[in-house]
Amino acid sequence: MEENKLSGEDSLQLIQQMIQSSRDEHQENGDGWLLWGWLLFSASVISCIMGYMGYGRYVGEVWLGMLVVGLIAYAFNWRSKKARTNRVQTYMQGLLNKIQSAFFISLLAILAGSYLGNHSFSFGYFYILYAFWMFIHGSAIRFKPLIVGAWVNWAAALGIFLATDFRHDMMISALAVLIGYLIPGYMLRSEFRKKMQSTDRIAA
Amino acid sequence: MEFKDLDPILHSQLRLAVMSLLISVKEAEFTFIKEKTNATAGNLSVQINKLKEAGYIEVAKQFKDNYPQTTCKITPVGVKAFEDYVNNLQSYLGVKK
């Protein structure tokens, strides 16, 4: 950057350009949504099939297994994120990380509360929580599919509260995850790849 | 138009670019700032040092994976100076807020 004499207009333009440039730094490849989405989707479909085959009593183990795999993957992801050299730390990324942590703590609190307190548990609570997370995340990164996904998950939560058959809960769950997590996750990944390709082209 | 009241530390193209980048992020590495401003490493180092001496930014040097890493972060004094600069600039230009 040359040291030219700055006019007032130049200064304002430079400020805007630099602020915009640092804003563009927030990038997501959708991996987290896809990992969590596939885990939830698989658990829902397996539970539904097990329900129809008469193995409904083992569904709890399926979800517990899913949760353990999810938490291990989350811990690995957190470690690799920490090890990765981030050239810039945005306020938004910091905030989204906090919201993600709060989500997982709330999730565990719901599970622990319903287990220890012996209260009746509904998957609907999960989907309200997912929707809450997705709505904030989608709004923060201005990604509409996640916001739509949040509304789908809120609707799914209501559906699960109203459904009386556990197998129907699992069908709604699979559908909500497909629309709410997996489709936006693949869209995020596709956008990320396009962005990376255009950045490479500019760099070349 | 003269800009006598504008902070001379900030009224420089590269220093203003660095401050504008840092105002919107928590912290940024030297390499990131260099890439975004298209400045040479030498010139950028000099300007970053001036901003540091003015108390507008904090500079942390450390080693990560055996490589030196310089990280810059805006200070509250820097934020105030930047806000004042933008306000003064807007009033000179007659920009309505």
Side-chain angles (χ1 to χ4, degrees):
Chain A
M1 186 174 275
E2 299 281 323
E3 272 304 300
N4 299 324
K5 199 170 181 192
L6 277 177
S7 71
E9 287 83 2
D10 291 341
S11 294
L12 276 185
Q13 204 181 346
L14 179 66
I15 292 168
Q16 282 169 355
Q17 188 190 332
M18 288 295 130
I19 289 176
Q20 187 55 48
S21 154
S22 59
R23 265 191 198 156
D24 290 344
E25 270 309 295
H26 183 85
Q27 289 163 351
E28 281 190 37
N29 58 14
D31 281 358
W33 298 103
L34 291 177
L35 169 84
W36 201 240
W38 275 115
L39 279 172
L40 285 171
F41 185 76
S42 311
S44 304
V45 171
I46 292 170
S47 302
C48 188
I49 294 169
M50 283 172 78
Y52 278 107
M53 289 174 74
Y55 295 108
R57 60 190 177 280
Y58 299 116
V59 159
E61 279 78 3
V62 172
W63 283 88
L64 193 66
M66 186 280 296
L67 190 68
V68 171
V69 173
L71 288 177
I72 291 170
Y74 176 71
F76 267 107
N77 185 38
W78 183 75
R79 271 190 66 166
S80 67
K81 247 187 198 172
K82 222 180 162 191
R84 225 176 289 149
T85 315
N86 276 340
R87 296 190 315 146
V88 62
Q89 277 188 31
T90 60
Y91 288 108
M92 187 163 79
Q93 190 55 58
L95 185 67
L96 290 177
N97 288 345
K98 295 269 180 213
I99 293 169
Q100 189 180 4
S101 301
F103 165 79
F104 280 107
I105 294 166
S106 306
L107 194 74
L108 288 175
I110 290 177
L111 277 176
S114 57
Y115 178 74
L116 297 171
N118 207 17
H119 293 297
S120 62
F121 170 75
S122 169
F123 274 89
Y125 295 119
F126 274 173
Y127 289 87
I128 288 175
L129 206 56
Y130 294 143
F132 184 78
W133 180 20
M134 289 159 73
F135 189 79
I136 293 175
H137 200 107
S139 305
I141 64 171
R142 292 188 207 136
F143 190 64
K144 250 190 183 160
L146 270 180
I147 299 171
V148 173
W151 284 105
V152 170
N153 273 260
W154 272 316
L158 279 179
I160 289 170
F161 280 124
L162 293 172
T164 47
D165 188 331
F166 178 75
R167 292 168 297 189
H168 294 160
D169 284 0
M170 293 296 97
M171 279 184 208
I172 297 171
S173 165
L175 193 68
V177 171
L178 181 70
I179 301 171
Y181 271 65
L182 291 173
I183 293 174
Y186 280 110
M187 287 170 85
L188 263 177
R189 177 179 275 187
S190 155
E191 275 199 7
F192 177 77
R193 285 185 176 163
K194 268 187 215 158
K195 206 171 179 180
M196 286 292 108
Q197 276 170 359
S198 65
T199 311
D200 288 348
R201 237 177 278 138
I202 291 164
Chain B
M1 190 182 280
E2 282 289 311
F3 295 107
K4 283 178 191 166
D5 295 334
L6 289 179
D7 184 343
I9 300 282
L10 292 182
H11 198 59
S12 133
Q13 196 166 1
L14 186 49
R15 289 195 294 270
L16 184 61
V18 172
M19 289 293 282
S20 305
L21 277 176
L22 292 178
I23 196 86
S24 45
V25 299
K26 215 171 171 184
E27 56 182 41
E29 268 186 39
F30 183 86
T31 50
F32 169 82
I33 302 169
K34 183 173 167 282
E35 184 190 291
K36 293 287 176 186
T37 56
N38 283 325
T40 61
N43 190 15
L44 185 59
S45 290
V46 172
Q47 305 310 328
I48 281 181
N49 219 28
K50 283 186 183 169
L51 289 169
K52 186 187 160 195
E53 280 168 8
Y56 290 178
I57 63 170
E58 279 172 12
V59 180
K61 292 186 181 188
Q62 57 181 2
F63 275 88
K64 198 167 187 180
D65 301 328
N66 293 326
Y67 286 98
Q69 188 189 44
T70 304
T71 312
C72 303
K73 190 179 178 180
I74 199 162
T75 63
V77 177
V79 173
K80 175 79 175 61
F82 187 81
E83 282 171 356
D84 289 346
Y85 179 85
V86 173
N87 286 338
N88 288 337
L89 198 61
Q90 283 178 331
S91 55
Y92 271 120
L93 294 172
V95 177
K96 282 182 187 170
K97 281 182 231 173

